[in-house]
Amino acid sequence: MLRIVVCANSAQAKNYFKKSLSREEYYSEGQELVGYWQGYGAERLGLSGRVDQQSFNELADNLKPGTDETLTARMKENRRVGYDFNFNCPKSVSVLYEQERDERIVEAFKCSVTQTMREVEADMHTRVRTQGRDEDRKTGNMVWAEFHHFTARPVNGVPDPHLHAHCFAFNATWDDAEQRWKAGQFGQLKREGAYYEAVFHARFAKRLADLGYGIERTEKGWEIAGVPQSVIEKFIHRAKEVEALALERGITTAKGRDSLAAYSRERKNDGITKEELREVWNNRLTPEERTAMARLTPNGRKVELPDGALRLDQITPKKAMDYAVAHCYERASVVTENELLREALRHGVGAVEVEQVRRQLMRDDFIKQENGGQCWLTTRHILAEERKLLAFTREGKGVCEPLNSRGYQIQDEKLLRPEGREQREAVQHVLSSRDRVIAVRGGAGTGKTTMLKEAVAGIEAGGHKVFAFAPSAEASRGVLREAGFENATTVAAFLHSAKMQEGVRNGVLLVDEAGLLSSPQLKQVVELAQRQNCRVLLSGDTAQHGAVERGDALRLLEKHAGLQAAELRHIRRQLHPTYRAAIADLRQGDVENGFAKLNALGAIKETSADSRYQQLAADYVQSVKDNKTALVVSPTHAEGERVTTEIRKELKALQKLGADERLVPQLKNLRWTEAQRADASRYQPGLVIQFHQNVPGFRRGEKISVTAKDQNHLLVQRADGTGDLLRLGEGCRASAFNVYSTGVLPVTPGEWIRITQNGYSRDGHRLNNGELRRVKGFDKQGDLILDNGWVVAKDYGNLAHGYCVTSHGSQGKSVQRLLVAESEESLPAASREQFYVSASRGVEKIQIYTDNKEALMDAVSRSRQRPSATDLVKRTWPEDLKEKNRRKSQRREADTRKKARAKQVKLANKKKFGPVKKIAPVQRQKIVPPEIKPKNYYGMSL
């Protein structure tokens, strides 16, 4: 693991050096641990050899060591002093080193750390703000102090073995162009932390493998093959302590855990020697464990891998990159060079050299472009896929007859009203279009479904058959069927059914929520449309969430194929005019004004963590008391679970939930890519595989549990207890199943639950992924009885509580009262699209709960729009909204400074000339009769 932690001020840095960096948790033979200066920047300052307290302190104070001269220009009191790059070994390495004392392990570790930091140094930049410029320039030099430690923080006075390094990099770099020291740009280095971590581990594991140690990949990294798991469990006391504290306090983020670890750590013990520690550690092991560990030291020979260990010597640099391509491009059309390298190095850890993998980026299949200081890549295959879509749309313009040329009369009376003008025009656009691909764009709550029903009636009156689809089960079999599209189904079901495909000949393929369509899916749809002579009608909104799979197909066609869509702008869902205006702003991308309107309504509450979820739960329960439909939306499942816990607690106190609580099995989708599902090393005993397609030996819907792994095979157990072998890639396609972790879900009568996987109830009714149902009770077998009478098997597994959903899960839903939980720890998952979808679900009222309004505003100003392969080759990148908002922030700061200067002038004039006497203005009051005074939904007169 690699953690990069900022040091905020000089005093903190000095204290960190004195109490942590310059000494171990014990004194080894009475000597303090020695650190060494590293980096080209250190050489320029004349720093080399051992790190001394005085030079470290002078750099912390932004002084050139040995002088009173300022190093960088800015001397702010709380300037960022530096960043601690903390490199950590796998636990098996640390334990094995302390048991067998093979000094080659430490040497391999030190070399890997220094080599990786040299690569970090090569990527160092500084800001350039001279002569009106606003850019970054590469400097390629840093100053860091490197320390190597051998133990973790103590627990109950005794530390565990933990080989790790601290590289404290000072916030200074030499700009050769300007011939001066300046602050470094560490933001990009932090963002690329996962890449540097992969580089470090690839180098370290390969060095150990070359020494003869066996390397075994795990789900989260790698370990020394053959170290018993029981041994590892005996030396992770500190990790367990922090994990328990995080669980107790509801902390889930890495930043939060780091803060908790710093806050909760014990003082170091100076009175214990290394030999005494090794004796304590050795006494924890059984004789069998000691024997197993002793066999792992190579001593000039190749260590035999234990049974079941995966052989990594079969992974070549080419295979590692093939894996990275399959994994990265499943969900993105364009990725950075470092993203590909990161995944390839993780897959080939212990088997491949970094430079060998980097040479794989020279493949002819890659197309590269520079943007924003990074190298971005796509593939010729993905570009060809997009060109197929663009060609079908362009070549289909004006080549068809109108879908209804008989002068169709609108049937729905609501569309005949003045406010239905947009919808009527959209219907006319669809019926009169001569294009093979027709589009309707409609924001949340603009009456798109009502308009589509009328358009379909007009199409069928013109003699054409319409077949309705949507990307998700809830949108198709739920929303569309409820709206009258009786045979609506998912796009995936359509693409897998030859019979269904044959039946659409000469028809119109209507795809609702088309903004969720991926490029591979739409490509298959248009290929079918070509074969079956069909027209395609796409209805969606590119301002909302895009596809999980790669490619935002609707945006691609609008941007590069000139697809002209009829647009519905008038919002009908929100009743309060200011709320409605805020949603209109958010849809147009004007997050600043939309956010301000919601804030003016009092809809954004900034409260501390202690009271936030309790307040949210109380508001939810009040909605239940008022017989109002309510839903909580949050960017992450982790925050959603904490919200759910508080809501259930409140509902139980009010006896809205029954006393008969049962624990039912729960399956949580790990959402692995197909490449990950085909990688046997990721599987651990206890994981569950569920098939959604038939494969040789296993039927659709069947669940099996993983018991062990052997090379590329998994040993599994069926529901009846019999064992079997699952051969990954040998007739068992990874696309045919999903992988789940297991847990339990407490359920009581009155409980709202959410279906998390398509399936069927015990009595044969279809259950759609994303739909919400209420539990009425349990039958004699313990199965769940829903309030509509359906019975769901207690071992169905694909269930969750239905009080809080993610914004993805909320898309298409509408409730009277909306509550949004968006604390600072969820902000990495926040975006402009997420905030718009979340905020637009409410009809009467919205309440947003956060602990930092400013941070929330900044986070939701970022767009998650992904560049397409066509964007890359045409250099038409999506607008950098973060940069746009940075400029807005600069303007606000300038306005603030201007007001401050005006205030200073006013005070100076007041002091010079005395106070100015104010003349009271004439008060004029407009009288509004109380019986017609309008009120908003917050109980205040307007």
Side-chain angles (χ1 to χ4, degrees), residues 61-116:
D61 289 332
N62 198 28
L63 299 174
K64 290 184 180 179
T67 73
D68 293 329
E69 187 180 344
T70 300
L71 187 62
T72 66
R74 296 196 175 186
M75 285 292 290
K76 293 191 300 182
E77 183 178 349
N78 287 320
R79 59 181 289 275
R80 292 183 176 180
V81 172
Y83 292 77
D84 181 23
F85 289 73
N86 180 207
F87 294 85
N88 297 274
C89 276
K91 182 57 71 174
S92 59
V93 177
S94 299
V95 175
L96 185 64
Y97 167 69
E98 294 297 349
Q99 281 296 119
E100 303 304 318
R101 307 180 196 182
D102 184 350
E103 295 300 329
R104 296 176 303 170
I105 292 177
V106 175
E107 188 62 29
F109 174 72
K110 289 181 177 179
C111 289
S112 301
V113 168
T114 302
Q115 195 173 358
T116 303

Side-chain angles (χ1 to χ4, degrees), residues 259-539:
S259 299
L260 186 60
Y263 169 77
S264 64
R265 62 191 180 189
E266 291 184 20
R267 294 183 64 182
K268 300 173 182 180
N269 189 340
D270 295 344
I272 187 169
T273 67
K274 188 67 170 288
E275 290 305 316
E276 290 172 334
L277 271 177
R278 282 175 173 156
E279 184 177 352
V280 171
W281 295 335
N282 190 55
N283 289 337
R284 292 181 188 174
L285 303 182
T286 66
E288 294 77 15
E289 289 171 337
R290 292 193 199 99
T291 301
M293 298 286 284
R295 293 197 191 105
L296 300 180
T297 303
N299 296 324
R301 59 183 174 81
K302 195 76 172 178
V303 174
E304 293 295 324
L305 293 179
D307 293 340
L310 303 177
R311 293 186 59 83
L312 297 182
D313 55 7
Q314 298 175 356
I315 300 180
T316 63
K318 180 182 182 304
K319 287 182 179 179
M321 185 56 72
D322 288 343
Y323 170 88
V325 167
H327 172 71
C328 292
Y329 288 117
E330 180 173 321
R331 295 174 183 170
S333 301
V334 177
V335 298
T336 66
E337 184 179 83
N338 283 355
E339 286 178 275
L340 281 171
L341 287 171
R342 179 188 69 205
E343 295 304 328
L345 292 172
R346 284 176 175 173
H347 186 70
V349 67
V352 297
E353 298 277 3
V354 173
E355 293 307 319
Q356 291 175 340
V357 175
R358 188 171 275 119
R359 283 195 287 271
Q360 289 293 315
L361 294 173
M362 299 172 65
R363 292 182 182 183
D364 290 339
D365 188 46
F366 286 129
I367 303 172
K368 304 179 183 180
Q369 288 288 356
E370 293 284 336
N371 185 64
Q374 292 182 297
C375 181
W376 296 80
L377 297 89
T378 189
T379 69
R380 299 188 188 281
H381 167 75
I382 294 173
L383 183 60
E385 176 182 86
E386 293 183 2
R387 285 176 171 169
K388 173 79 174 178
L389 292 174
L390 296 173
F392 179 82
T393 304
R394 290 181 187 131
E395 293 167 6
K397 288 185 177 181
V399 300
C400 303
E401 292 297 318
L403 290 169
N404 190 327
S405 57
R406 304 173 188 173
Y408 176 73
Q409 298 296 316
I410 299 292
Q411 304 297 310
D412 192 333
E413 291 184 0
K414 289 184 290 186
L415 270 64
L416 295 173
R417 299 170 186 168
E419 60 269 22
R421 179 182 58 82
E422 271 188 348
Q423 293 165 301
R424 294 195 301 273
E425 290 176 353
V427 170
Q428 182 59 32
H429 170 79
V430 172
L431 300 183
S432 62
S433 176
R434 293 178 174 272
D435 298 340
R436 188 171 292 280
V437 180
I438 309 167
V440 176
R441 186 191 306 117
T446 55
K448 184 163 49 68
T449 303
T450 302
M451 171 263 145
L452 283 177
K453 287 175 63 179
E454 192 67 35
V456 168
I459 293 171
E460 293 184 339
H464 303 277
K465 183 69 175 174
V466 178
F467 303 90
F469 310 98
S472 69
E474 178 66 1
S476 56
R477 304 184 189 113
V479 176
L480 283 179
R481 289 191 182 182
E482 288 176 6
F485 298 89
E486 296 179 358
N487 297 315
T489 189
T490 64
V491 174
F494 173 56
L495 295 176
H496 284 93
S497 172
K499 181 179 179 181
M500 200 181 301
Q501 293 168 18
E502 189 58 36
V504 302
R505 188 160 190 80
N506 298 324
V508 177
L509 307 180
L510 163 61
V511 183
D512 194 22
E513 295 289 356
L516 293 171
L517 270 181
S518 67
S519 293
Q521 278 183 315
L522 187 55
K523 176 176 175 286
Q524 293 180 70
V525 169
V526 301
E527 287 173 344
L528 282 166
Q530 282 180 314
R531 291 200 302 269
Q532 300 298 82
N533 191 35
C534 294
R535 306 274 291 273
V536 179
L537 173 56
L538 302 175
S539 170

Side-chain angles (χ1 to χ4, degrees), residues 794-921:
K794 61 185 176 184
D795 60 352
Y796 183 77
N798 303 115
L799 302 172
H801 289 123
Y803 306 103
C804 183
V805 299
T806 63
S807 57
H808 278 277
S810 74
Q811 191 158 322
K813 290 181 169 57
S814 177
V815 292
Q816 290 168 307
R817 293 184 182 176
L818 173 68
L819 302 97
V820 180
E822 200 146 358
S823 68
E824 200 166 0
E825 68 178 62
S826 289
L827 297 188
S831 69
R832 183 184 75 178
E833 294 79 12
Q834 168 270 320
F835 192 66
Y836 166 54
V837 171
S838 299
S840 59
R841 302 303 101 197
V843 174
E844 295 181 2
K845 186 176 180 179
I846 179 176
Q847 200 70 58
I848 300 169
Y849 306 80
T850 185
D851 50 358
N852 191 328
K853 284 185 184 181
E854 186 177 346
L856 175 62
M857 170 62 196
D858 182 62
V860 301
S861 296
R862 297 191 301 260
S863 174
R864 295 285 182 182
Q865 287 188 16
R866 300 173 293 186
S868 65
T870 307
D871 284 325
L872 183 139
V873 297
K874 289 188 173 184
R875 294 181 176 273
T876 54
W877 295 82
E879 181 184 16
D880 189 344
L881 290 173
K882 189 171 183 181
E883 177 63 20
K884 178 181 177 181
N885 282 287
R886 188 185 65 77
R887 291 195 296 269
K888 282 186 179 180
S889 177
Q890 287 179 335
R891 289 196 296 271
R892 286 197 298 268
E893 290 175 3
D895 289 341
T896 302
R897 289 194 296 269
K898 184 177 179 181
K899 290 177 182 177
R901 286 195 297 270
K903 187 176 181 179
Q904 288 174 349
V905 170
K906 185 177 179 181
L907 290 172
N909 288 335
K910 183 178 179 180
K911 186 176 181 180
K912 184 175 181 180
F913 301 110
V916 178
K917 187 176 181 181
K918 293 183 179 180
I919 301 175

